[in-house]
Amino acid sequence: MTDFLDWPFFDGSHRALAERLEAWCAAELGDYHGDDVDAACRALVATLGQGGWLRYCVPAAYGGVHERLDVRSLALIRETLARHSGLADFAFAMQGLGSGTISLFGSEAQKRAFLPAVAAGEKIAAFALTDPGSGSDVANMETSAVRDGAGWRVNGAKTYISNGGIADYYVLFARTGEAPGAKGISAFLVEADAAGLEIAERIRVIAPHPLATLRFTDMALPGEALIGEAGRGFAQAMATLDVFRTTVGAAALGFARRALDEATRRALARKLGSGTLADNAITQSKLAEMVLDVETSALLVYRAAWLRDVRGQRNSREAALAKLHATDSAQSVIDKAVQMFGGLGVTHGCIVESLYREIRALRIYEGASEVQKVVIARAHLEGYRR
């Protein structure tokens, strides 16, 4: 159903985008069932680049579509891709997240060196924030970058890094020590072939995505690898996540819509007594709950995107609400769909089985659900105190 595109959050360009992408996905994408996830992701990045969709990940001055990143477009693309292919959504999302800090804070030379290639699907991007020992507690990361003459020397590790092992470059966050905690972190551009960078471990997760642990041993970086100002890395990371966190909710929404579609078709076709599963009151109750969750998530996601794009305001609270509700409720929607499919629902190769595996990570990455609750509660309390 596309009636939500008539909401006032969108303009004609968004409706045209959704229509074009839907047709492209139907023609170009299938569900991934292979063994070589690295090759599949490389191929998807190239295909998305050839289709022109990665141009939405970078500003117009560097090969993009919009003058600045348009969150509504990013969210619509992620929702649509997620309905068709979880791996295609992953490939698109990482091109955006892995280049977002460069788009927002990079030097002109950094932008020209990397962003056009990201938009064309010629360079695979990655965002290296999570330390093995800190997880969501980003301010206490231990990976360090120490000044070494005109450059830097990096030691430490990052883990659960999406596109780890296949990326052409990493946006790396490391402690540079200008101040304690969050104020002593900086962002760097690291080419994948940098001496001292090692892919220490490839990580297998429940839905097949390329992830890795990276290790840095006296990795030398030139001075121009620094993104923006030293000591501003934490703020840069949070600003990047502010843009893309809403789109995580959009991907969850796409998964939920696909699950609802599959469950509805199943309910209408599955015989139960003299009727179908859809005639059963319990099934109707579950479908109603699923519709409610999908509609509510869509409102939260596209409100957050609209606030950023149209009002031009920071939307940390609204993005947190959108991500929290969309990811948690998508888990519930997909679980209900699996239940309606019975044994088939947990059979490898069934769409709802793959959705069940795909959705779980979204409640963790780019700020776990528990972190989103803290963001929401603090914003609520601050409003009352004011």
Side-chain angles (χ1 to χ4, degrees):
M1 296 177 66
T2 59
D3 55 347
F4 73 97
L5 291 170
D6 292 329
W7 293 350
F9 298 129
F10 304 106
D11 60 31
S13 68
H14 297 112
R15 297 179 185 101
L17 164 63
E19 183 177 349
R20 292 197 314 273
L21 181 56
E22 186 66 33
W24 183 87
C25 288
E28 299 291 336
L29 295 182
D31 294 303
Y32 171 73
H33 295 297
D35 294 323
D36 193 341
V37 68
D38 289 1
C41 276
R42 290 189 183 100
L44 281 166
V45 169
T47 301
L48 288 164
Q50 291 161 10
W53 308 114
L54 297 180
R55 294 180 60 222
Y56 289 88
C57 294
V58 305
Y62 309 98
V65 174
H66 297 284
E67 183 178 349
R68 59 186 179 86
L69 297 177
D70 184 79
V71 183
R72 288 168 296 172
S73 296
L74 292 169
L76 279 169
I77 292 171
R78 288 203 66 182
E79 179 187 341
T80 306
L81 290 175
R83 276 195 292 106
H84 288 270
S85 164
L87 202 59
D89 166 65
F90 171 90
F92 175 85
M94 288 314 305
Q95 290 297 96
L97 182 64
S99 64
T101 308
I102 305 171
S103 293
L104 295 172
F105 302 104
S107 67
E108 189 64 23
Q110 289 169 340
K111 290 175 181 178
R112 294 203 176 279
F114 288 90
L115 296 183
V118 167
E122 295 168 356
K123 283 188 184 291
I124 296 178
F127 185 80
L129 181 63
T130 302
D131 267 31
S134 60
S136 296
D137 187 13
V138 175
N140 284 317
M141 71 171 59
E142 295 179 355
T143 297
S144 65
V146 177
R147 289 191 183 273
D148 184 17
W152 302 84
R153 194 161 296 276
V154 181
N155 286 279
K158 296 290 177 181
T159 195
Y160 291 105
I161 304 306
S162 295
N163 280 343
I166 69 168
D168 293 294
Y169 75 89
Y170 300 87
V171 171
L172 169 68
F173 296 86
R175 179 163 302 287
T176 45
E178 289 76 14
K183 296 182 179 179
I185 294 169
S186 301
F188 298 89
L189 252 171
V190 180
E191 300 261 16
D193 60 358
L197 166 58
E198 173 194 358
I199 306 301
E201 178 190 13
R202 294 302 301 271
I203 302 170
R204 294 184 66 184
V205 289
I206 58 175
H209 294 158
L211 276 82
T213 296
L214 315 179
R215 182 176 295 124
F216 312 100
T217 306
D218 286 334
M219 180 178 69
L221 294 177
E224 58 266 26
L226 179 69
I227 300 175
E229 299 176 31
R232 296 289 299 163
F234 182 86
Q236 293 168 352
M238 295 305 106
T240 305
L241 291 172
D242 272 352
V243 172
F244 290 97
R245 186 167 282 149
T246 300
T247 76
V248 181
L253 174 60
F255 291 144
R257 283 197 198 276
R258 180 65 181 272
L260 177 57
D261 287 346
E262 296 293 329
T264 303
R265 294 190 186 99
R266 172 74 170 181
L268 289 168
R270 180 69 168 176
K271 297 296 183 183
L272 183 67
S274 59
T276 65
L277 196 58
D279 298 319
N280 181 272
I282 295 175
T283 301
Q284 292 174 7
S285 175
K286 295 299 182 186
L287 288 170
E289 292 169 358
M290 295 161 79
V291 170
L292 177 62
D293 279 339
V294 166
E295 294 284 335
T296 306
S297 293
L299 286 164
L300 287 168
V301 165
Y302 291 112
R303 178 188 68 161
W306 177 84
L307 283 171
R308 175 89 185 195
D309 293 340
V310 178
R311 290 284 180 86
Q313 68 186 60
R314 187 169 183 182
N315 65 346
S316 300
R317 172 184 175 273
E318 290 76 17
L321 284 164
K323 182 184 186 294
L324 174 65
H325 186 275
T327 56
D328 281 4
S329 67
Q331 183 88 57
S332 176
V333 169
I334 293 167
D335 186 71
K336 290 182 177 73
V338 169
Q339 197 72 11
M340 287 189 202
F341 273 77
L344 182 59
V346 292
T347 302
H348 186 70
C350 180
I351 294 298
V352 294
E353 182 270 342
S354 65
L355 290 170
Y356 193 83
R357 289 184 287 108
E358 287 282 0
I359 188 56
R360 191 60 185 86
L362 276 66
R363 295 170 59 200
I364 298 171
Y365 74 66
E366 292 189 40
S369 293
E370 292 76 11
V371 173
Q372 304 315 311
K373 290 176 183 179
V374 171
V375 172
I376 294 162
R378 286 178 176 171
H380 174 72
L381 291 169
E382 183 181 345
Y384 263 76
R385 289 179 181 128
R386 282 201 303 266

